[in-house]
Amino acid sequence: MTSIPLTSTVAPLLNQVKLKPNDYKSEVKPIWCPGCGDFGVLAAFYRALSDLGVSPEKAVIASGIGCSGRFPAFVESYGFHGVHGRALPLATGIKMANPDLMVAAIGGDGDAFSIGAGHLPHAARRNIDLTYIVMDNEIYGLTKGQASPTSPVGLSPKGAPYGEIKAAKSTPYGNSDAPINPIVMALAYGATYIARGFSSKPREMVELIKRGLTHKGFAFIQIYSPCVTFFDTYDHFKEKTAPLPADHNSRDKIAAFKMALDEEHLYLGEFYTEDRPSMAENARAIRERAGSNFSMDSLIERYKG
Amino acid sequence: MPHVGQDLVLRVGGDSAAGGIVATGEIFAYMAAWAGLEVYTTRTIPAEIKGGHVMYQMRAALEPLTAQGDELDVLLAYDEETFERYYKMLKPEGLLVFNSNDLQVETTGHRHRRIGVPMHDIAKSLNFARGYNMVAVGALVKLFDMDMDIAIQSVTKRLGHGRAAESLAVNLDALQKGFEYIEQAVGKEPPFHLPLPKEKRAERIIVSGNQALAMGVIASGCRFMAGYPITPASEIMEFLAAEFPHIGGTMIQAEDEIAACGMAVGGSFTGQRAMTATSGPGLALMIEMISHASMTETPLLVVDVQRVGPSTGMPTKVSQGDLRLACYGGNDDSPRFVVAATSVEDCFYIVPHAFNLTELYQAPVIVLSDQDMAVRVQTVAPFDVSKVKNESRLVWDPKAANGAGYERYVDTPNGVSAMSIPGQAGGQYTAEGLEHFPSGAPAFSAELHAKNMRKRARKLEAAVEYVEKNELWEEFGDPSSTIGILGWGSVIGPVREAVIDLATEGIKVHALFPKVIQPLPEHKLAEFLKGKQERLVTEMNFSGQFAEMLQAKYLIPFTHVNSYSGVPFLTSEIMAAIREAHARLK
Ligand SMILES: Cc1ncc(C[n+]2csc(CCOP(=O)(O)OP(=O)(O)O)c2C)c(N)n1
Ligand code: SF4
């Protein structure tokens, strides 16, 4: 991975404390099914915070609804469990109202790419300085196994092109809607850090999350996180995923598109990164341009004759 | 309150494609305001971007005005449609001023006086075809016997900067030519005299409801706003976008109302006063997030500048149709406050109270304004910022906690629990939209849910104290009267005039307008309703939303007095309803 200068608004939040990954565990016990991929993501998140030395009180995690939405409660930090699909607006408000916080947003594939899909382009183009982790299990978990926007064509209760399916009751005749490609989407929208992980690859995941959290601007991380209960895709992802080629240049957007569109491999790693002013930096520049010459009296004065 | 002959109502109309209609009205309104008169304007905007009929009305008097005025003293018609639409509203002794290049007026059958001004010809003679509206302003200045110096000052102030400055001279020429035309055509003695003040009067500012409201937001200490464009609320967002950067604030134009509301909730979660502003369709989208703020007990201020619905309705017309949505919209019971601004001036003063309610009680507040109040400019006393008292939310104090674990939703007598702010060590919690333990951890027991429902609802009961202590209502008329008139929001203006005018006829009425609809000032209302035999409720919606709320609460009938056509109540309509009530008593 190429290194980029660390000018993120989170830079001052690093190396503040020495805590073990377990110290970031809250008292709330995860409700996820044993074997759910989300456990791996959570463990990687604890380790990333520990490695970076983030004070628990300086971190805020916002989420939507779904199995993924429960994530914030399991982390010893501030959290906001929102409504379905709205993790990004909540996180945007949190970060812009107080840029001195380290903000992450968590979603599921339904949460992020269906109901909340309208927010992704805007978080990306604003380059809001936060990390969005989408735990993609290609199914709706919490509502018990309907097709999601990343489900493969052909998904039905009787079977699926890959993975063991125990639900998909919403597509009894087989899913005919083509799945969206989250990495291509994030590239097209202009996210400035784009990566893909797999919940069974803990070490790599930790690195990607750390890079995301320290990246200046909007970091988008898709993580394959299989749902053992409704659509078990562990074997599929083990077989199909591969690290991005060592010579992949993550500053080359066209190359990133090519890698993301590859149908042979589901590449893992850092697809793309770019240095662009963050939303908070732009807001600061606007304030400087506007100047601080203001008083309530002079504002009212303007409306006199 | 002015009576016949003491005020002057001028209406200007034309096709918006021609341009300059609103400018004519506005320049004249500002001129009257700067000459020391009280001014109250109202306007209709076409839904079309280009083309469509526009109307701008100005009422001016020496005393403060609270309604638009029912009849016209002067009608300035740029085209035939304007004449056809409004000539019946002209008083018999009224004056029609028309653009004689575009409009031939029948001279038979009309009693009012009429003066044709060849506005286009005059403008063209100056090689300034677009300046015909300035010709019209000049003509009005002479017709009203106003001081040309004030006119020149006003036009200079309005046009004297930016791109318009280049054409200032030619605009002033057009103004002069209009003035001279009347001088020659009508003679030295003008047909109208504005009742100009003889001595210097108290200072006034001239603002719209939206501007006043945005200033109230700033005075409240709010520094975070997210919005999404919608008529007629956009101006609030635009205003704050311009002013916030000076004071370290942030305005985000979100991708939609759901996002705007979510950003405001997120901003508030960090400890800041945060808000959003929208109109009906946007409020409908925000409801899920408002319920979430209610459940997570996050302060949130939502302004709803109401317009006519359902659906997209008539975006540029007035209504008070969102009361029910504001009070009850949402899945299951989600307590929130509903505040209704009563006037342009009140748009400023009510906002700090609304922020105090949401901050003190940690429940969302919806502030209701309306299209008419939001866009009309009016003279009001300069806002007195010293009257604004901002209260703080109850923030968790780690020192006082003495090492005890933090519980975000611990139950208390008034339902309010201390809020920890991100950054505070030891106060970590997750704001939880699912039902939850006091710690914030999800919980689904029947007992806990019932207990939490009561906790959240108790805030509304507790907040009645704030509402009554701050007397957040307006009361006028004769308390001994057996006729009571109620209402909310800007309807108060014409009601106030109706009550005063009827008193001169010997009909006594007692009026009460709560500024907080949820929770209502219970003691005040009980006292008001005592001994009332006729109870009227005036509001600009079809079904009588407030009247039904009152009926359900007090189990007594209320007479609905509704207007739902998209135009503000006329004072005469309210007087008629009161006269009927009076007749029933006999
Ligand atoms: C507005 C709204 N619509 C629907 C739901 C029901 N719902 C809850 S979770 C969910 C889907 C979750 O799927 P995904 O985002 O993929 O997350 P997962 O549970 O798989 O982690 C839905 C549709 C809801 N809570 N709110
Ligand atoms: S339903 Fe699926 S996604 Fe949800 S917790 Fe169980 S395994 Fe995980």
Side-chain angles (χ1 to χ4, degrees):
Chain A
M1 293 175 204
T2 44
S3 80
I4 53 164
L6 208 139
T7 49
S8 150
T9 49
V10 296
L13 299 171
L14 306 178
N15 303 315
Q16 288 189 331
V17 290
K18 279 201 166 34
L19 293 173
K20 292 194 209 53
N22 268 352
D23 297 333
Y24 290 94
K25 254 188 198 167
S26 79
E27 279 167 14
V28 183
K29 295 280 155 290
I31 39 79
W32 295 319
C33 312
C36 175
D38 294 358
F39 282 104
V41 185
L42 182 62
F45 197 79
Y46 292 150
R47 170 151 300 275
L49 290 181
S50 161
D51 284 1
L52 295 174
V54 180
S55 298
E57 71 269 18
K58 295 288 174 58
V60 187
I61 309 168
S63 66
I65 295 290
C67 296
S68 59
R70 299 294 193 97
F71 194 102
F74 312 141
V75 185
E76 186 54 42
S77 70
Y78 281 90
F80 213 110
H81 187 189
V83 289
H84 198 22
R86 313 303 165 201
L88 282 177
L90 289 166
T92 301
I94 293 165
K95 184 69 190 181
M96 290 309 289
N98 184 358
D100 297 335
L101 298 167
M102 174 179 276
V103 181
I106 307 282
D109 39 305
D111 200 60
F113 309 135
S114 229
I115 189 166
H119 304 305
L120 192 52
H122 305 282
R125 75 188 177 89
R126 290 180 186 125
N127 205 24
I128 171 93
D129 197 352
L130 57 86
T131 303
Y132 190 28
I133 298 175
V134 181
M135 304 194 287
D136 184 358
N137 52 18
E138 302 193 349
I139 196 94
Y140 282 70
L142 196 71
T143 45
K144 300 193 169 47
Q146 299 82 6
S148 99
T150 51
S151 292
V153 169
L155 185 84
S156 81
K158 293 194 198 74
Y162 54 80
E164 191 191 328
I165 182 79
K166 290 194 201 125
K169 291 186 212 108
S170 65
T171 47
Y173 302 101
N175 176 31
S176 51
D177 301 349
I180 58 129
N181 183 326
I183 300 290
V184 169
M185 198 155 110
L187 281 164
Y189 292 154
T192 53
Y193 175 86
I194 301 168
R196 184 193 272 152
F198 177 24
S199 67
S200 294
K201 298 263 182 208
R203 257 183 299 123
E204 290 83 343
M205 236 186 333
V206 172
E207 282 316 303
L208 296 177
I209 294 172
K210 277 160 64 181
R211 294 273 296 143
L213 290 174
T214 53
H215 170 73
K216 180 186 72 171
F218 184 64
F220 172 77
I221 310 177
Q222 178 199 11
I223 299 184
Y224 291 128
S225 177
C227 169
V228 286
T229 304
F230 297 113
F231 189 26
D232 188 344
T233 50
Y234 271 114
D235 290 342
H236 169 71
F237 286 126
K238 271 184 196 139
E239 193 187 309
K240 290 285 263 186
T241 55
L244 278 166
D247 64 353
H248 172 63
N249 177 3
S250 64
R251 299 237 149 211
D252 180 345
K253 205 168 200 172
I254 303 294
F257 269 114
K258 274 192 188 137
M259 291 297 139
L261 288 166
D262 191 300
E263 290 187 357
E264 275 308 296
H265 308 92
L266 301 173
Y267 285 116
L268 303 178
E270 186 178 302
F271 281 79
Y272 183 68
T273 183
E274 174 190 334
D275 194 18
R276 180 147 62 80
S278 71
M279 189 178 188
E281 280 179 336
N282 288 331
R284 215 179 307 136
I286 287 171
R287 278 179 206 156
E288 273 161 26
R289 212 161 359 122
S292 55
N293 196 357
F294 179 90
S295 77
M296 204 61 212
D297 288 343
S298 65
L299 177 61
I300 295 168
E301 188 71 29
R302 255 188 264 160
Y303 291 84
K304 288 181 183 164
Chain B
M1 208 60 46
H3 297 282
V4 185
Q6 295 181 319
D7 65 336
L8 185 132
V9 180
L10 162 74
R11 180 172 285 208
V12 184
D15 189 278
S16 71
I21 292 102
V22 171
T24 312
E26 264 186 1
I27 290 173
F28 205 74
Y30 279 79
M31 228 183 275
W34 290 329
L37 288 168
E38 300 284 353
V39 168
Y40 185 110
T41 70
T42 186
R43 65 202 270 192
T44 63
I45 316 159
E48 297 85 356
I49 304 298
K50 275 235 180 299
H53 179 76
V54 205
M55 180 281 280
Y56 195 99
Q57 180 166 316
M58 177 203 74
R59 185 178 183 206
L62 276 171
E63 288 157 82
L65 295 160
T66 68
Q68 63 183 55
D70 291 6
E71 294 178 304
L72 309 180
D73 295 283
V74 181
L75 174 62
L76 169 57
Y78 282 119
D79 61 8
E80 180 133 14
E81 183 177 357
T82 303
F83 174 72
E84 290 298 335
R85 274 186 191 228
Y86 308 125
Y87 78 89
K88 289 202 182 83
M89 291 174 70
L90 257 182
K91 289 177 185 165
E93 71 279 16
L95 172 70
L96 170 74
V97 183
F98 62 99
N99 180 3
S100 61
N101 287 123
D102 284 358
L103 172 63
Q104 301 313 316
V105 175
E106 263 293 318
T107 47
T108 51
H110 303 303
R111 278 187 301 157
H112 49 254
R113 289 168 290 169
R114 63 199 79 80
I115 297 170
V117 182
M119 297 173 193
H120 282 312
D121 283 354
I122 296 176
K124 275 185 212 139
S125 75
L126 295 169
N127 274 329
F128 181 45
R130 276 182 304 112
Y132 69 94
N133 64 327
M134 249 338 132
V135 175
V137 174
L140 291 180
V141 169
K142 179 65 200 164
L143 286 168
F144 289 121
D145 197 18
M146 283 181 82
D147 189 347
M148 195 57 173
D149 287 344
I150 289 187
I152 292 168
Q153 261 176 40
S154 310
V155 173
T156 308
K157 181 155 173 149
R158 206 190 131 96
L159 301 178
H161 36 86
R163 225 160 18 107
E166 293 162 25
S167 59
L168 179 63
V170 60
N171 271 291
L172 291 176
D173 271 354
L175 185 79
Q176 189 65 39
K177 283 279 170 337
F179 187 92
E180 285 164 10
Y181 180 84
I182 297 297
E183 218 168 24
Q184 283 149 20
V186 182
K188 292 281 175 233
E189 192 50 40
F192 271 95
H193 288 277
L194 268 182
L196 289 177
K198 297 209 170 45
E199 58 238 53
K200 198 162 165 45
R201 292 165 43 83
E203 198 158 32
R204 287 284 187 266
I205 55 173
I206 179 157
V207 287
S208 72
N210 274 343
Q211 290 163 348
L213 196 145
M215 287 192 230
V217 168
I218 294 173
S220 300
C222 169
R223 297 291 179 264
F224 189 86
M225 195 261 183
Y228 186 75
I230 186 166
T231 303
S234 303
E235 190 187 2
I236 297 169
M237 175 176 86
E238 292 156 4
F239 190 107
L240 294 175
E243 301 307 329
F244 265 175
H246 300 301
I247 42 179
T250 305
M251 198 301 287
I252 304 176
Q253 182 177 326
E255 54 271 29
D256 56 40
E257 285 85 353
I258 296 173
C261 196
M263 288 174 191
V265 172
S268 169
F269 175 74
T270 70
Q272 291 227 28
R273 288 183 158 208
M275 58 116 27
T276 183
T278 188
S279 188
L283 183 67
L285 287 180
M286 289 178 183
I287 289 294
E288 187 193 27
M289 198 64 81
I290 291 169
S291 297
H292 184 258
S294 184
M295 186 64 160
T296 57
E297 307 192 26
T298 312
L300 164 72
L301 187 132
V302 177
V303 174
D304 174 25
V305 184
Q306 298 164 97
R307 63 189 220 183
V308 180
S311 185
T312 317
M314 300 199 287
T316 57
K317 304 286 184 293
V318 70
S319 163
Q320 295 181 310
D322 297 341
L323 184 67
R324 212 177 272 130
L325 179 67
C327 290
Y328 308 128
N331 37 318
D332 209 336
D333 284 288
S334 52
R336 87 284 302 255
F337 304 109
V338 177
V339 168
T342 50
S343 64
V344 167
E345 194 171 16
D346 194 41
C347 281
F348 176 84
Y349 290 107
I350 201 65
V351 171
H353 285 299
F355 265 115
N356 285 347
L357 282 170
T358 185
E359 293 286 325
L360 286 173
Y361 297 97
Q362 298 178 18
V365 59
I366 298 171
V367 178
L368 297 171
S369 173
D370 65 56
Q371 185 274 341
D372 178 51
M373 181 158 63
V375 305
R376 74 165 182 252
V377 295
Q378 194 185 329
T379 43
V380 297
F383 300 128
D384 181 355
V385 184
S386 72
K387 279 193 192 155
V388 173
K389 299 267 178 296
N390 293 331
E391 309 274 356
S392 309
R393 68 176 78 164
L394 183 62
V395 172
W396 179 67
D397 179 0
K399 273 190 237 101
N402 234 334
Y406 172 62
E407 295 211 311
R408 167 68 183 97
Y409 300 111
V410 71
D411 204 2
T412 61
N414 66 357
V416 179
S417 12
M419 193 167 172
S420 169
I421 305 300
Q424 279 189 306
Q428 295 91 301
Y429 73 100
T430 292
E432 186 51 78
L434 290 165
E435 192 54 280
H436 39 256
F437 287 113
S439 68
F444 305 109
S445 87
E447 293 76 19
L448 191 62
H449 174 61
K451 191 171 177 222
N452 283 347
M453 288 299 276
R454 289 195 295 272
K455 173 196 195 295
R456 292 185 287 265
R458 224 178 294 133
K459 298 173 180 185
L460 286 184
E461 294 159 26
V464 174
E465 195 189 316
Y466 182 93
V467 175
E468 302 210 307
K469 193 180 75 199
N470 289 287
E471 302 190 355
L472 296 181
W473 57 74
E474 289 186 47
E475 187 182 8
F476 50 92
D478 186 342
S480 73
S481 171
T482 55
I483 304 175
I485 189 157
L486 292 141
W488 59 282
S490 70
V491 173
I492 197 171
V495 170
R496 202 187 284 278
E497 291 206 347
V499 168
I500 291 168
D501 280 359
L502 285 170
T504 63
E505 285 178 23
I507 300 179
K508 289 178 180 150
V509 192
H510 186 199
L512 180 69
F513 273 64
K515 294 186 192 183
V516 180
I517 309 297
Q518 195 160 276
L520 283 167
E522 314 231 338
H523 303 100
K524 184 74 214 171
L525 259 165
E527 176 196 306
F528 175 83
L529 289 171
K530 223 178 281 161
K532 295 284 181 291
Q533 287 166 2
E534 284 291 330
R535 294 166 294 265
L536 311 184
V537 183
T538 48
E539 49 191 325
M540 289 184 281
N541 59 54
F542 179 76
S543 58
Q545 300 185 7
F546 186 44
E548 285 193 345
M549 280 173 70
L550 292 170
Q551 269 161 220
K553 191 172 173 71
Y554 293 102
L555 301 175
I556 48 173
F558 288 82
T559 302
H560 298 204
V561 183
N562 299 347
S563 163
Y564 40 86
S565 54
V567 292
F569 263 112
L570 297 178
T571 302
S572 55
E573 291 173 308
I574 289 168
M575 288 172 76
I578 297 173
R579 280 198 194 98
E580 277 174 34
H582 183 69
R584 282 195 295 271
L585 283 176
K586 283 183 190 155

